[in-house]
Amino acid sequence: DTAVSQTPKYLVTQMGNDKSIKCEQNLGHDTMYWYKQDSKKFLKIMFSYNNKELIINETVPNRFSPKSPDKAHLNLHINSLELGDSAVYFCASSQQGGLRPNEQFFGPGTRLTVL
Amino acid sequence: AQSVTQPDIHITVSEGASLELRCNYSYGATPYLFWYVQSPGQGLQLLLKYFSGDTLVQGIKGFEAEFKRSQSSFNLRKPSVHWSDAAEYFCAVPMDTGRRALTFGSGTRLQVQP
């Protein structure tokens, strides 16, 4: 039973298109994240939601719009795709509580290729 | 903001040899530190974490890491590497106090020779 799942696993599309990536976690966590991993494997946080509320938005172009319909889901919609958006996008979740950060569980990633 | 540096981009070791991957952190107080592993085509999996207390931390898959405040380091070690350990390894810290997202190092790619 997959803890954090993402769909699709691969996404190939043309510049200018709009696409969405979906993420679901069945761990009962209250916090979800989107990270972007570029071609050099560098990982960077994009967004974080806690109980459906956006708490982190790291200078991401407004073509990227996250949506959290409930605590178990965090989707990422990207408008007007550009070549530079090609990357692997990882969803993650954790249970926020107390002063210490808890382990984040990562999905398998979605490899987005923009042609 | 907190940050971590992984000085080694790529390391090759022979199967059965010992391994040490370096991680240096930048933070004034005692940081929370993590090591994650990413196998090819996979997501990231937590190997171990350090919050406080004993500076030698044991993790999964036979890995351990030692927190050294004097050197601002949190190096990952394994006494005997297996071919299945070939992967990308990331050191990470929380972005800053109170924020749960992680800041990752640039990663170290481990290759294992037979």
Side-chain angles (χ1 to χ4, degrees):
Chain A
D1 209 15
T2 306
V4 182
S5 59
Q6 295 178 229
T7 55
K9 190 167 174 63
Y10 300 97
L11 187 52
V12 181
T13 187
Q14 299 286 332
M15 262 198 316
N17 284 351
D18 303 338
K19 291 293 178 187
S20 291
I21 306 171
K22 296 189 175 183
C23 177
E24 176 181 2
Q25 55 96 2
N26 62 7
L27 298 167
H29 290 163
D30 61 3
T31 305
M32 296 184 73
Y33 312 81
W34 278 112
Y35 288 87
K36 179 181 180 181
Q37 185 175 48
D38 64 22
S39 59
K40 295 185 178 179
K41 300 284 188 179
F42 186 65
L43 271 158
K44 188 171 167 55
I45 183 69
M46 299 174 68
F47 301 104
S48 176
Y49 271 75
N50 176 256
N51 285 318
K52 302 197 298 175
E53 181 184 346
L54 180 66
I55 55 173
I56 293 176
N57 182 344
E58 283 295 302
T59 59
V60 178
N62 57 16
R63 297 183 296 103
F64 290 78
S65 51
K67 280 194 171 54
S68 183
D70 55 58
K71 285 198 311 182
H73 296 85
L74 179 61
N75 303 324
L76 183 64
H77 188 75
I78 315 170
N79 289 327
S80 304
L81 278 156
E82 300 177 357
L83 293 176
D85 298 332
S86 295
V88 181
Y89 293 84
F90 286 101
C91 177
S93 74
S94 69
Q95 182 61 31
Q96 186 168 331
L99 296 175
R100 294 178 170 181
N102 289 320
E103 176 183 356
Q104 292 187 19
F105 291 80
F106 283 77
T110 296
R111 181 175 293 276
L112 171 64
T113 303
V114 182
L115 304 175
Chain B
Q2 304 178 97
S3 65
V4 286
T5 303
Q6 294 180 249
D8 305 306
I9 297 172
H10 188 198
I11 284 183
T12 301
V13 300
S14 299
E15 193 168 14
S18 63
L19 170 70
E20 182 168 28
L21 302 181
R22 296 185 289 165
C23 172
N24 295 102
Y25 67 87
S26 171
Y27 186 60
T30 299
Y32 302 128
L33 291 156
F34 303 82
W35 273 102
Y36 280 84
V37 60
Q38 183 181 18
S39 298
Q42 304 293 316
L44 282 78
Q45 181 183 21
L46 180 70
L47 284 175
L48 47 78
K49 60 189 177 188
Y50 174 77
F51 286 168
S52 65
D54 194 346
T55 56
L56 187 61
V57 180
Q58 301 297 322
I60 63 171
K61 304 185 181 190
F63 285 92
E64 66 178 26
E66 187 170 11
F67 172 70
K68 292 185 177 179
R69 184 189 302 278
S70 60
Q71 297 176 19
S72 298
S73 69
F74 187 57
N75 294 347
L76 183 71
R77 302 195 296 242
K78 187 169 185 178
S80 177
V81 169
H82 187 262
W83 63 266
S84 60
D85 293 324
E88 193 88 23
Y89 291 81
F90 294 94
C91 184
V93 290
M95 289 179 70
D96 45 50
T97 303
R99 303 183 84 186
R100 304 303 179 178
L102 296 173
T103 293
F104 288 87
S106 52
T108 298
R109 184 175 180 187
L110 174 65
Q111 207 165 352
V112 180
Q113 286 181 335

